[in-house]
Amino acid sequence: MSRYTMIIQWSDEDQLFLVTIPEFADRVIMPCTHGKTREEAIYNGEKVIEMYLSAWQAEGESIPEPSTLQIA
């Protein structure tokens, strides 16, 4: 499992769970994937993260850093 953030939100319009990856927002059209169930959306989100990271690495592009929760 990656350390990237996934925001999963239900869409009444699409009748799907939509997945957004905030760390990729400036490089990828959001939402970047979806699923009929929450579990499917999470699975698809992980696959999309792997796909983009592999592509960016192969193309020699910079890889966005995962966000981390800072607790004061």
Side-chain angles (χ1 to χ4, degrees):
M1 179 180 286
S2 73
R3 297 180 308 160
Y4 289 90
T5 307
M6 278 195 287
I7 298 172
I8 301 164
Q9 296 174 299
W10 176 253
S11 169
D12 283 334
E13 180 180 340
D14 300 308
Q15 292 294 295
L16 295 167
F17 288 94
L18 303 181
V19 179
T20 303
I21 303 164
E23 292 94 335
F24 295 1
D26 62 338
R27 302 175 78 176
V28 176
I29 295 172
M30 295 292 161
C32 62
T33 192
H34 63 272
K36 292 179 183 176
T37 65
R38 191 171 187 77
E39 292 77 16
E40 183 180 46
I42 292 167
Y43 176 82
N44 291 342
E46 290 293 338
K47 291 297 179 190
V48 164
I49 290 169
E50 291 173 18
M51 178 192 72
Y52 278 116
L53 294 178
S54 293
W56 291 330
Q57 185 175 26
E59 294 171 7
E61 294 187 32
S62 62
I63 307 274
E65 289 292 320
S67 296
T68 56
L69 180 63
Q70 302 294 324
I71 300 175

Short mmCIF file of all heavy atoms in Angstrom, two decimals:
data_model
loop_
_atom_site.label_atom_id
_atom_site.label_comp_id
_atom_site.label_asym_id
_atom_site.label_seq_id
_atom_site.Cartn_x
_atom_site.Cartn_y
_atom_site.Cartn_z
N MET A 1 0.85 -1.19 0.00
CA MET A 1 0.00 0.00 0.00
C MET A 1 0.89 1.24 0.00
O MET A 1 1.89 1.30 0.68
CB MET A 1 -0.91 -0.01 1.22
CG MET A 1 -1.79 1.21 1.28
SD MET A 1 -2.91 1.28 2.69
CE MET A 1 -4.10 0.08 2.20
N SER A 2 0.48 2.22 -0.78
CA SER A 2 1.26 3.44 -0.88
C SER A 2 0.99 4.37 0.30
O SER A 2 0.06 4.16 1.07
CB SER A 2 0.94 4.16 -2.18
OG SER A 2 -0.34 4.75 -2.10
N ARG A 3 1.79 5.40 0.40
CA ARG A 3 1.62 6.39 1.47
C ARG A 3 0.92 7.64 0.96
O ARG A 3 0.88 8.65 1.65
CB ARG A 3 2.98 6.74 2.06
CG ARG A 3 3.65 5.55 2.72
CD ARG A 3 4.98 5.92 3.30
NE ARG A 3 5.79 6.60 2.27
CZ ARG A 3 6.82 7.37 2.53
NH1 ARG A 3 7.20 7.57 3.75
NH2 ARG A 3 7.48 7.94 1.54
N TYR A 4 0.40 7.60 -0.25
CA TYR A 4 -0.29 8.75 -0.81
C TYR A 4 -1.71 8.85 -0.27
O TYR A 4 -2.32 7.85 0.08
CB TYR A 4 -0.29 8.69 -2.34
CG TYR A 4 1.08 8.94 -2.92
CD1 TYR A 4 1.95 7.90 -3.14
CD2 TYR A 4 1.50 10.23 -3.19
CE1 TYR A 4 3.23 8.11 -3.64
CE2 TYR A 4 2.77 10.47 -3.69
CZ TYR A 4 3.63 9.41 -3.91
OH TYR A 4 4.89 9.64 -4.39
N THR A 5 -2.21 10.06 -0.22
CA THR A 5 -3.55 10.32 0.28
C THR A 5 -4.59 10.00 -0.78
O THR A 5 -4.42 10.38 -1.94
CB THR A 5 -3.67 11.81 0.65
OG1 THR A 5 -2.61 12.16 1.54
CG2 THR A 5 -5.01 12.12 1.30
N MET A 6 -5.65 9.31 -0.37
CA MET A 6 -6.78 9.08 -1.26
C MET A 6 -8.02 9.63 -0.58
O MET A 6 -8.31 9.28 0.56
CB MET A 6 -6.99 7.59 -1.53
CG MET A 6 -6.11 7.03 -2.59
SD MET A 6 -6.69 5.43 -3.18
CE MET A 6 -6.27 4.39 -1.80
N ILE A 7 -8.74 10.49 -1.28
CA ILE A 7 -10.01 10.99 -0.80
C ILE A 7 -11.08 10.26 -1.60
O ILE A 7 -11.07 10.30 -2.84
CB ILE A 7 -10.14 12.51 -0.97
CG1 ILE A 7 -9.05 13.22 -0.16
CG2 ILE A 7 -11.53 12.99 -0.57
CD1 ILE A 7 -8.95 14.70 -0.41
N ILE A 8 -11.97 9.58 -0.90
CA ILE A 8 -13.01 8.80 -1.54
C ILE A 8 -14.35 9.43 -1.19
O ILE A 8 -14.69 9.55 -0.01
CB ILE A 8 -12.95 7.34 -1.10
CG1 ILE A 8 -11.58 6.77 -1.45
CG2 ILE A 8 -14.07 6.52 -1.73
CD1 ILE A 8 -11.24 5.50 -0.76
N GLN A 9 -15.09 9.85 -2.21
CA GLN A 9 -16.36 10.53 -2.00
C GLN A 9 -17.43 9.90 -2.89
O GLN A 9 -17.18 9.58 -4.04
CB GLN A 9 -16.24 12.01 -2.34
CG GLN A 9 -15.27 12.75 -1.44
CD GLN A 9 -15.06 14.16 -1.91
OE1 GLN A 9 -14.60 14.38 -3.01
NE2 GLN A 9 -15.40 15.11 -1.05
N TRP A 10 -18.63 9.76 -2.33
CA TRP A 10 -19.76 9.26 -3.09
C TRP A 10 -20.28 10.35 -4.02
O TRP A 10 -20.39 11.51 -3.63
CB TRP A 10 -20.88 8.80 -2.17
CG TRP A 10 -22.08 8.36 -2.93
CD1 TRP A 10 -23.27 9.02 -3.04
CD2 TRP A 10 -22.21 7.16 -3.71
NE1 TRP A 10 -24.14 8.31 -3.83
CE2 TRP A 10 -23.51 7.16 -4.26
CE3 TRP A 10 -21.37 6.09 -3.98
CZ2 TRP A 10 -23.97 6.13 -5.08
CZ3 TRP A 10 -21.82 5.07 -4.79
CH2 TRP A 10 -23.10 5.09 -5.32
N SER A 11 -20.59 9.99 -5.26
CA SER A 11 -21.18 10.90 -6.21
C SER A 11 -22.60 10.44 -6.54
O SER A 11 -22.77 9.38 -7.16
CB SER A 11 -20.35 10.95 -7.50
OG SER A 11 -21.04 11.64 -8.52
N ASP A 12 -23.59 11.22 -6.13
CA ASP A 12 -24.98 10.91 -6.48
C ASP A 12 -25.17 10.95 -7.99
O ASP A 12 -25.89 10.13 -8.56
CB ASP A 12 -25.94 11.90 -5.82
CG ASP A 12 -26.17 11.61 -4.35
OD1 ASP A 12 -26.01 10.45 -3.93
OD2 ASP A 12 -26.50 12.55 -3.61
N GLU A 13 -24.51 11.91 -8.63
CA GLU A 13 -24.65 12.07 -10.08
C GLU A 13 -24.14 10.83 -10.83
O GLU A 13 -24.78 10.36 -11.76
CB GLU A 13 -23.88 13.31 -10.54
CG GLU A 13 -23.95 13.56 -12.02
CD GLU A 13 -23.18 14.79 -12.44
OE1 GLU A 13 -22.90 15.67 -11.59
OE2 GLU A 13 -22.85 14.89 -13.63
N ASP A 14 -22.98 10.32 -10.42
CA ASP A 14 -22.37 9.18 -11.11
C ASP A 14 -22.78 7.83 -10.52
O ASP A 14 -22.55 6.80 -11.15
CB ASP A 14 -20.84 9.30 -11.05
CG ASP A 14 -20.34 10.56 -11.72
OD1 ASP A 14 -20.72 10.82 -12.88
OD2 ASP A 14 -19.56 11.30 -11.08
N GLN A 15 -23.31 7.86 -9.29
CA GLN A 15 -23.64 6.64 -8.57
C GLN A 15 -22.39 5.75 -8.40
O GLN A 15 -22.43 4.53 -8.57
CB GLN A 15 -24.77 5.86 -9.27
CG GLN A 15 -26.11 6.58 -9.22
CD GLN A 15 -26.65 6.70 -7.80
OE1 GLN A 15 -26.96 5.71 -7.17
NE2 GLN A 15 -26.75 7.93 -7.30
N LEU A 16 -21.28 6.41 -8.07
CA LEU A 16 -19.99 5.76 -7.88
C LEU A 16 -19.24 6.45 -6.75
O LEU A 16 -19.50 7.61 -6.43
CB LEU A 16 -19.13 5.87 -9.15
CG LEU A 16 -19.61 5.17 -10.40
CD1 LEU A 16 -18.81 5.64 -11.61
CD2 LEU A 16 -19.49 3.65 -10.25
N PHE A 17 -18.26 5.74 -6.19
CA PHE A 17 -17.30 6.34 -5.28
C PHE A 17 -16.15 6.89 -6.14
O PHE A 17 -15.54 6.15 -6.91
CB PHE A 17 -16.75 5.31 -4.29
CG PHE A 17 -17.75 4.89 -3.26
CD1 PHE A 17 -18.53 3.77 -3.43
CD2 PHE A 17 -17.91 5.64 -2.10
CE1 PHE A 17 -19.46 3.38 -2.47
CE2 PHE A 17 -18.84 5.26 -1.13
CZ PHE A 17 -19.61 4.13 -1.33
N LEU A 18 -15.88 8.20 -6.04
CA LEU A 18 -14.83 8.84 -6.82
C LEU A 18 -13.58 8.99 -5.97
O LEU A 18 -13.67 9.28 -4.77
CB LEU A 18 -15.31 10.20 -7.31
CG LEU A 18 -16.59 10.18 -8.14
CD1 LEU A 18 -16.93 11.60 -8.59
CD2 LEU A 18 -16.49 9.24 -9.32
N VAL A 19 -12.43 8.80 -6.59
CA VAL A 19 -11.14 8.85 -5.88
C VAL A 19 -10.33 10.04 -6.37
O VAL A 19 -10.11 10.21 -7.57
CB VAL A 19 -10.34 7.55 -6.11
CG1 VAL A 19 -8.99 7.62 -5.40
CG2 VAL A 19 -11.13 6.33 -5.67
N THR A 20 -9.88 10.83 -5.41
CA THR A 20 -8.99 11.95 -5.66
C THR A 20 -7.69 11.71 -4.90
O THR A 20 -7.73 11.25 -3.75
CB THR A 20 -9.64 13.27 -5.18
OG1 THR A 20 -10.89 13.42 -5.84
CG2 THR A 20 -8.77 14.46 -5.46
N ILE A 21 -6.56 12.02 -5.53
CA ILE A 21 -5.25 11.89 -4.88
C ILE A 21 -4.64 13.29 -4.82
O ILE A 21 -4.14 13.80 -5.82
CB ILE A 21 -4.35 10.91 -5.65
CG1 ILE A 21 -5.04 9.56 -5.76
CG2 ILE A 21 -2.97 10.79 -4.97
CD1 ILE A 21 -4.47 8.63 -6.78
N PRO A 22 -4.76 13.95 -3.67
CA PRO A 22 -4.35 15.36 -3.57
C PRO A 22 -2.91 15.63 -4.02
O PRO A 22 -2.65 16.66 -4.64
CB PRO A 22 -4.52 15.68 -2.08
CG PRO A 22 -5.55 14.72 -1.61
CD PRO A 22 -5.33 13.47 -2.41
N GLU A 23 -1.99 14.73 -3.74
CA GLU A 23 -0.59 14.96 -4.11
C GLU A 23 -0.40 14.99 -5.63
O GLU A 23 0.60 15.51 -6.12
CB GLU A 23 0.32 13.86 -3.53
CG GLU A 23 0.44 13.91 -2.03
CD GLU A 23 -0.56 13.00 -1.33
OE1 GLU A 23 -1.62 12.69 -1.89
OE2 GLU A 23 -0.27 12.59 -0.19
N PHE A 24 -1.35 14.44 -6.38
CA PHE A 24 -1.25 14.41 -7.84
C PHE A 24 -2.09 15.50 -8.50
O PHE A 24 -2.14 15.60 -9.72
CB PHE A 24 -1.72 13.06 -8.38
CG PHE A 24 -0.88 11.87 -7.99
CD1 PHE A 24 0.24 11.98 -7.19
CD2 PHE A 24 -1.22 10.61 -8.44
CE1 PHE A 24 1.00 10.87 -6.83
CE2 PHE A 24 -0.46 9.49 -8.10
CZ PHE A 24 0.65 9.63 -7.29
N ALA A 25 -2.77 16.32 -7.72
CA ALA A 25 -3.77 17.26 -8.24
C ALA A 25 -3.22 18.22 -9.30
O ALA A 25 -3.95 18.60 -10.22
CB ALA A 25 -4.40 18.05 -7.10
N ASP A 26 -1.96 18.62 -9.19
CA ASP A 26 -1.42 19.58 -10.17
C ASP A 26 -0.92 18.88 -11.44
O ASP A 26 -0.54 19.54 -12.39
CB ASP A 26 -0.32 20.43 -9.55
CG ASP A 26 0.88 19.62 -9.10
OD1 ASP A 26 0.73 18.40 -8.85
OD2 ASP A 26 1.97 20.20 -8.98
N ARG A 27 -0.99 17.53 -11.47
CA ARG A 27 -0.47 16.80 -12.64
C ARG A 27 -1.49 15.87 -13.30
O ARG A 27 -1.23 15.38 -14.39
CB ARG A 27 0.73 15.96 -12.19
CG ARG A 27 1.82 16.81 -11.58
CD ARG A 27 2.92 15.98 -11.05
NE ARG A 27 3.75 15.54 -12.16
CZ ARG A 27 4.86 14.84 -12.01
NH1 ARG A 27 5.26 14.51 -10.81
NH2 ARG A 27 5.57 14.48 -13.04
N VAL A 28 -2.61 15.62 -12.63
CA VAL A 28 -3.59 14.64 -13.09
C VAL A 28 -4.98 15.23 -12.97
O VAL A 28 -5.29 15.90 -11.98
CB VAL A 28 -3.49 13.34 -12.25
CG1 VAL A 28 -4.55 12.34 -12.66
CG2 VAL A 28 -2.10 12.74 -12.33
N ILE A 29 -5.83 14.97 -13.94
CA ILE A 29 -7.22 15.41 -13.86
C ILE A 29 -7.92 14.64 -12.75
O ILE A 29 -7.80 13.41 -12.66
CB ILE A 29 -7.94 15.19 -15.20
CG1 ILE A 29 -7.32 16.08 -16.28
CG2 ILE A 29 -9.44 15.49 -15.08
CD1 ILE A 29 -7.82 15.80 -17.68
N MET A 30 -8.63 15.34 -11.88
CA MET A 30 -9.31 14.71 -10.75
C MET A 30 -10.81 14.72 -10.98
O MET A 30 -11.32 15.63 -11.59
CB MET A 30 -8.98 15.46 -9.46
CG MET A 30 -7.55 15.39 -9.05
SD MET A 30 -7.10 13.73 -8.57
CE MET A 30 -5.33 13.80 -8.72
N PRO A 31 -11.55 13.77 -10.47
CA PRO A 31 -11.06 12.57 -9.81
C PRO A 31 -10.33 11.66 -10.80
O PRO A 31 -10.60 11.71 -11.99
CB PRO A 31 -12.32 11.90 -9.26
CG PRO A 31 -13.43 12.41 -10.10
CD PRO A 31 -13.01 13.78 -10.56
N CYS A 32 -9.42 10.86 -10.28
CA CYS A 32 -8.58 10.07 -11.17
C CYS A 32 -9.08 8.64 -11.38
O CYS A 32 -8.63 7.97 -12.30
CB CYS A 32 -7.14 10.08 -10.69
SG CYS A 32 -6.91 9.36 -9.09
N THR A 33 -9.98 8.16 -10.55
CA THR A 33 -10.57 6.84 -10.75
C THR A 33 -11.85 6.75 -9.92
O THR A 33 -12.25 7.72 -9.29
CB THR A 33 -9.58 5.70 -10.43
OG1 THR A 33 -10.11 4.46 -10.90
CG2 THR A 33 -9.25 5.61 -8.95
N HIS A 34 -12.45 5.58 -9.92
CA HIS A 34 -13.73 5.40 -9.22
C HIS A 34 -13.95 3.92 -8.94
O HIS A 34 -13.16 3.07 -9.35
CB HIS A 34 -14.88 5.94 -10.07
CG HIS A 34 -15.02 5.20 -11.36
ND1 HIS A 34 -14.33 5.56 -12.49
CD2 HIS A 34 -15.74 4.10 -11.70
CE1 HIS A 34 -14.63 4.72 -13.47
NE2 HIS A 34 -15.48 3.82 -13.01
N GLY A 35 -15.05 3.63 -8.26
CA GLY A 35 -15.45 2.25 -8.01
C GLY A 35 -16.92 2.18 -7.66
O GLY A 35 -17.49 3.14 -7.15
N LYS A 36 -17.52 1.04 -7.94
CA LYS A 36 -18.93 0.84 -7.59
C LYS A 36 -19.10 0.67 -6.09
O LYS A 36 -20.15 0.98 -5.54
CB LYS A 36 -19.49 -0.38 -8.32
CG LYS A 36 -19.60 -0.19 -9.80
CD LYS A 36 -20.14 -1.44 -10.47
CE LYS A 36 -20.17 -1.25 -11.97
NZ LYS A 36 -20.61 -2.48 -12.66
N THR A 37 -18.05 0.16 -5.44
CA THR A 37 -18.04 0.01 -3.98
C THR A 37 -16.84 0.77 -3.44
O THR A 37 -15.90 1.09 -4.18
CB THR A 37 -17.93 -1.46 -3.55
OG1 THR A 37 -16.65 -1.96 -3.96
CG2 THR A 37 -19.05 -2.31 -4.13
N ARG A 38 -16.87 1.05 -2.14
CA ARG A 38 -15.73 1.72 -1.50
C ARG A 38 -14.45 0.90 -1.66
O ARG A 38 -13.38 1.43 -1.95
CB ARG A 38 -16.09 1.94 -0.03
CG ARG A 38 -15.17 2.83 0.70
CD ARG A 38 -15.77 3.14 2.09
NE ARG A 38 -14.99 4.14 2.74
CZ ARG A 38 -15.02 5.42 2.48
NH1 ARG A 38 -15.83 5.89 1.55
NH2 ARG A 38 -14.25 6.26 3.10
N GLU A 39 -14.58 -0.41 -1.51
CA GLU A 39 -13.43 -1.30 -1.62
C GLU A 39 -12.85 -1.27 -3.04
O GLU A 39 -11.63 -1.25 -3.22
CB GLU A 39 -13.82 -2.74 -1.25
CG GLU A 39 -14.16 -2.93 0.22
CD GLU A 39 -15.55 -2.42 0.60
OE1 GLU A 39 -16.41 -2.19 -0.29
OE2 GLU A 39 -15.78 -2.23 1.81
N GLU A 40 -13.74 -1.27 -4.04
CA GLU A 40 -13.28 -1.20 -5.42
C GLU A 40 -12.60 0.13 -5.70
O GLU A 40 -11.58 0.18 -6.40
CB GLU A 40 -14.46 -1.41 -6.38
CG GLU A 40 -14.06 -1.41 -7.84
CD GLU A 40 -15.25 -1.61 -8.76
OE1 GLU A 40 -16.29 -0.94 -8.57
OE2 GLU A 40 -15.12 -2.44 -9.68
N ALA A 41 -13.13 1.21 -5.15
CA ALA A 41 -12.52 2.53 -5.33
C ALA A 41 -11.12 2.57 -4.72
O ALA A 41 -10.19 3.10 -5.34
CB ALA A 41 -13.40 3.60 -4.71
N ILE A 42 -10.95 2.00 -3.53
CA ILE A 42 -9.63 1.96 -2.90
C ILE A 42 -8.66 1.15 -3.75
O ILE A 42 -7.52 1.57 -4.00
CB ILE A 42 -9.73 1.38 -1.47
CG1 ILE A 42 -10.49 2.35 -0.57
CG2 ILE A 42 -8.35 1.06 -0.90
CD1 ILE A 42 -10.91 1.77 0.77
N TYR A 43 -9.10 -0.02 -4.20
CA TYR A 43 -8.26 -0.88 -5.04
C TYR A 43 -7.84 -0.12 -6.31
O TYR A 43 -6.66 -0.10 -6.66
CB TYR A 43 -9.02 -2.16 -5.39
CG TYR A 43 -8.26 -3.07 -6.33
CD1 TYR A 43 -7.29 -3.93 -5.84
CD2 TYR A 43 -8.51 -3.04 -7.69
CE1 TYR A 43 -6.59 -4.75 -6.70
CE2 TYR A 43 -7.81 -3.86 -8.56
CZ TYR A 43 -6.84 -4.71 -8.06
OH TYR A 43 -6.13 -5.52 -8.92
N ASN A 44 -8.81 0.50 -6.98
CA ASN A 44 -8.51 1.24 -8.20
C ASN A 44 -7.59 2.42 -7.93
O ASN A 44 -6.71 2.73 -8.74
CB ASN A 44 -9.80 1.70 -8.88
CG ASN A 44 -10.60 0.55 -9.44
OD1 ASN A 44 -10.08 -0.55 -9.65
ND2 ASN A 44 -11.88 0.78 -9.69
N GLY A 45 -7.78 3.08 -6.79
CA GLY A 45 -6.91 4.18 -6.41
C GLY A 45 -5.47 3.74 -6.25
O GLY A 45 -4.54 4.39 -6.73
N GLU A 46 -5.25 2.60 -5.60
CA GLU A 46 -3.89 2.07 -5.43
C GLU A 46 -3.26 1.74 -6.78
O GLU A 46 -2.08 2.01 -7.02
CB GLU A 46 -3.91 0.84 -4.53
CG GLU A 46 -4.21 1.12 -3.08
CD GLU A 46 -3.12 1.91 -2.37
OE1 GLU A 46 -1.95 1.91 -2.82
OE2 GLU A 46 -3.44 2.54 -1.35
N LYS A 47 -4.05 1.16 -7.68
CA LYS A 47 -3.55 0.82 -9.01
C LYS A 47 -3.17 2.07 -9.81
O LYS A 47 -2.15 2.10 -10.49
CB LYS A 47 -4.58 0.00 -9.80
CG LYS A 47 -4.76 -1.39 -9.24
CD LYS A 47 -3.48 -2.17 -9.36
CE LYS A 47 -3.60 -3.55 -8.79
NZ LYS A 47 -2.30 -4.22 -8.69
N VAL A 48 -3.99 3.12 -9.70
CA VAL A 48 -3.70 4.37 -10.41
C VAL A 48 -2.43 5.01 -9.85
O VAL A 48 -1.60 5.50 -10.62
CB VAL A 48 -4.90 5.34 -10.31
CG1 VAL A 48 -4.51 6.75 -10.68
CG2 VAL A 48 -6.02 4.85 -11.20
N ILE A 49 -2.26 4.98 -8.55
CA ILE A 49 -1.04 5.52 -7.95
C ILE A 49 0.18 4.78 -8.50
O ILE A 49 1.15 5.40 -8.94
CB ILE A 49 -1.09 5.43 -6.40
CG1 ILE A 49 -2.12 6.42 -5.85
CG2 ILE A 49 0.30 5.69 -5.80
CD1 ILE A 49 -2.44 6.25 -4.38
N GLU A 50 0.14 3.46 -8.49
CA GLU A 50 1.25 2.66 -9.03
C GLU A 50 1.52 3.00 -10.49
O GLU A 50 2.67 3.15 -10.91
CB GLU A 50 0.94 1.17 -8.90
CG GLU A 50 0.93 0.65 -7.49
CD GLU A 50 0.44 -0.79 -7.41
OE1 GLU A 50 0.44 -1.50 -8.45
OE2 GLU A 50 0.05 -1.22 -6.31
N MET A 51 0.45 3.13 -11.28
CA MET A 51 0.58 3.41 -12.71
C MET A 51 1.27 4.76 -12.94
O MET A 51 2.22 4.85 -13.73
CB MET A 51 -0.79 3.41 -13.37
CG MET A 51 -0.77 3.75 -14.84
SD MET A 51 -2.41 4.09 -15.50
CE MET A 51 -2.76 5.68 -14.74
N TYR A 52 0.79 5.80 -12.26
CA TYR A 52 1.40 7.11 -12.45
C TYR A 52 2.84 7.15 -11.96
O TYR A 52 3.72 7.70 -12.64
CB TYR A 52 0.59 8.21 -11.75
CG TYR A 52 -0.59 8.67 -12.56
CD1 TYR A 52 -1.89 8.48 -12.12
CD2 TYR A 52 -0.41 9.30 -13.79
CE1 TYR A 52 -2.97 8.90 -12.87
CE2 TYR A 52 -1.49 9.73 -14.55
CZ TYR A 52 -2.77 9.51 -14.09
OH TYR A 52 -3.84 9.93 -14.84
N LEU A 53 3.12 6.57 -10.81
CA LEU A 53 4.50 6.57 -10.31
C LEU A 53 5.43 5.86 -11.27
O LEU A 53 6.55 6.34 -11.55
CB LEU A 53 4.56 5.94 -8.92
CG LEU A 53 3.84 6.70 -7.80
CD1 LEU A 53 3.94 5.93 -6.49
CD2 LEU A 53 4.39 8.11 -7.65
N SER A 54 5.01 4.73 -11.80
CA SER A 54 5.84 3.98 -12.76
C SER A 54 6.08 4.79 -14.03
O SER A 54 7.19 4.85 -14.55
CB SER A 54 5.18 2.65 -13.12
OG SER A 54 5.16 1.80 -12.01
N ALA A 55 5.02 5.42 -14.53
CA ALA A 55 5.14 6.21 -15.76
C ALA A 55 6.07 7.40 -15.55
O ALA A 55 6.94 7.68 -16.39
CB ALA A 55 3.76 6.68 -16.22
N TRP A 56 5.88 8.12 -14.44
CA TRP A 56 6.73 9.27 -14.19
C TRP A 56 8.19 8.86 -14.00
O TRP A 56 9.09 9.54 -14.48
CB TRP A 56 6.23 10.04 -12.96
CG TRP A 56 4.92 10.73 -13.19
CD1 TRP A 56 4.44 11.23 -14.37
CD2 TRP A 56 3.92 11.00 -12.22
NE1 TRP A 56 3.19 11.78 -14.18
CE2 TRP A 56 2.85 11.67 -12.88
CE3 TRP A 56 3.81 10.76 -10.86
CZ2 TRP A 56 1.70 12.08 -12.21
CZ3 TRP A 56 2.67 11.18 -10.20
CH2 TRP A 56 1.63 11.83 -10.87
N GLN A 57 8.41 7.75 -13.34
CA GLN A 57 9.78 7.27 -13.15
C GLN A 57 10.39 6.88 -14.49
O GLN A 57 11.53 7.24 -14.78
CB GLN A 57 9.80 6.08 -12.20
CG GLN A 57 11.19 5.61 -11.86
CD GLN A 57 11.18 4.50 -10.82
OE1 GLN A 57 10.21 3.78 -10.69
NE2 GLN A 57 12.26 4.37 -10.10
N ALA A 58 9.66 6.18 -15.33
CA ALA A 58 10.16 5.76 -16.64
C ALA A 58 10.48 6.95 -17.54
O ALA A 58 11.41 6.90 -18.34
CB ALA A 58 9.13 4.85 -17.32
N GLU A 59 9.71 8.03 -17.38
CA GLU A 59 9.92 9.22 -18.19
C GLU A 59 10.92 10.19 -17.57
O GLU A 59 11.20 11.25 -18.13
CB GLU A 59 8.58 9.94 -18.40
CG GLU A 59 7.61 9.11 -19.24
CD GLU A 59 6.22 9.70 -19.28
OE1 GLU A 59 6.01 10.83 -18.78
OE2 GLU A 59 5.32 9.03 -19.82
N GLY A 60 11.45 9.82 -16.40
CA GLY A 60 12.43 10.67 -15.73
C GLY A 60 11.84 11.92 -15.11
O GLY A 60 12.56 12.87 -14.83
N GLU A 61 10.54 11.91 -14.89
CA GLU A 61 9.89 13.07 -14.28
C GLU A 61 9.99 12.99 -12.76
O GLU A 61 10.19 11.93 -12.19
CB GLU A 61 8.42 13.12 -14.69
CG GLU A 61 8.23 13.39 -16.16
CD GLU A 61 6.78 13.60 -16.52
OE1 GLU A 61 6.03 14.13 -15.68
OE2 GLU A 61 6.42 13.25 -17.65
N SER A 62 9.82 14.15 -12.13
CA SER A 62 9.86 14.17 -10.66
C SER A 62 8.62 13.47 -10.12
O SER A 62 7.56 13.47 -10.73
CB SER A 62 9.92 15.60 -10.15
OG SER A 62 8.76 16.31 -10.53
N ILE A 63 8.79 12.86 -8.95
CA ILE A 63 7.72 12.12 -8.28
C ILE A 63 7.23 12.98 -7.11
O ILE A 63 8.04 13.39 -6.27
CB ILE A 63 8.23 10.76 -7.75
CG1 ILE A 63 8.90 9.98 -8.86
CG2 ILE A 63 7.12 10.01 -7.03
CD1 ILE A 63 8.03 9.14 -9.71
N PRO A 64 5.93 13.26 -7.04
CA PRO A 64 5.43 14.03 -5.90
C PRO A 64 5.65 13.27 -4.58
O PRO A 64 5.54 12.05 -4.54
CB PRO A 64 3.92 14.14 -6.17
CG PRO A 64 3.73 13.79 -7.59
CD PRO A 64 4.86 12.89 -7.97
N GLU A 65 5.98 14.02 -3.55
CA GLU A 65 6.16 13.41 -2.22
C GLU A 65 4.81 13.15 -1.59
O GLU A 65 3.90 13.97 -1.71
CB GLU A 65 6.96 14.36 -1.32
CG GLU A 65 8.42 14.48 -1.69
CD GLU A 65 9.19 13.20 -1.44
OE1 GLU A 65 8.94 12.53 -0.41
OE2 GLU A 65 10.04 12.87 -2.29
N PRO A 66 4.67 12.02 -0.89
CA PRO A 66 3.42 11.76 -0.16
C PRO A 66 3.28 12.78 0.98
O PRO A 66 4.27 13.18 1.59
CB PRO A 66 3.60 10.37 0.42
CG PRO A 66 4.75 9.76 -0.29
CD PRO A 66 5.58 10.88 -0.79
N SER A 67 2.07 13.20 1.24
CA SER A 67 1.80 14.08 2.39
C SER A 67 1.81 13.25 3.65
O SER A 67 1.45 12.07 3.63
CB SER A 67 0.44 14.75 2.25
OG SER A 67 0.42 15.59 1.15
N THR A 68 2.21 13.86 4.74
CA THR A 68 2.17 13.16 6.02
C THR A 68 1.40 14.00 7.02
O THR A 68 1.42 15.24 6.97
CB THR A 68 3.58 12.88 6.58
OG1 THR A 68 4.29 14.11 6.68
CG2 THR A 68 4.35 11.93 5.67
N LEU A 69 0.71 13.34 7.91
CA LEU A 69 -0.05 14.01 8.94
C LEU A 69 0.90 14.53 10.01
O LEU A 69 1.71 13.78 10.54
CB LEU A 69 -1.06 13.05 9.56
CG LEU A 69 -1.95 13.60 10.66
CD1 LEU A 69 -2.84 14.71 10.12
CD2 LEU A 69 -2.81 12.47 11.23
N GLN A 70 0.81 15.81 10.29
CA GLN A 70 1.65 16.43 11.32
C GLN A 70 0.79 16.66 12.55
O GLN A 70 -0.12 17.47 12.51
CB GLN A 70 2.23 17.76 10.80
CG GLN A 70 3.06 17.63 9.55
CD GLN A 70 4.32 16.83 9.77
OE1 GLN A 70 4.96 16.89 10.82
NE2 GLN A 70 4.69 16.04 8.78
N ILE A 71 1.11 15.97 13.61
CA ILE A 71 0.38 16.13 14.87
C ILE A 71 1.19 17.02 15.79
O ILE A 71 2.35 16.74 16.05
CB ILE A 71 0.08 14.76 15.52
CG1 ILE A 71 -0.75 13.92 14.56
CG2 ILE A 71 -0.61 14.95 16.86
CD1 ILE A 71 -1.01 12.52 15.02
N ALA A 72 0.56 18.08 16.26
CA ALA A 72 1.27 19.04 17.12
C ALA A 72 1.47 18.50 18.51
O ALA A 72 0.77 17.72 19.04
CB ALA A 72 0.50 20.34 17.18
#
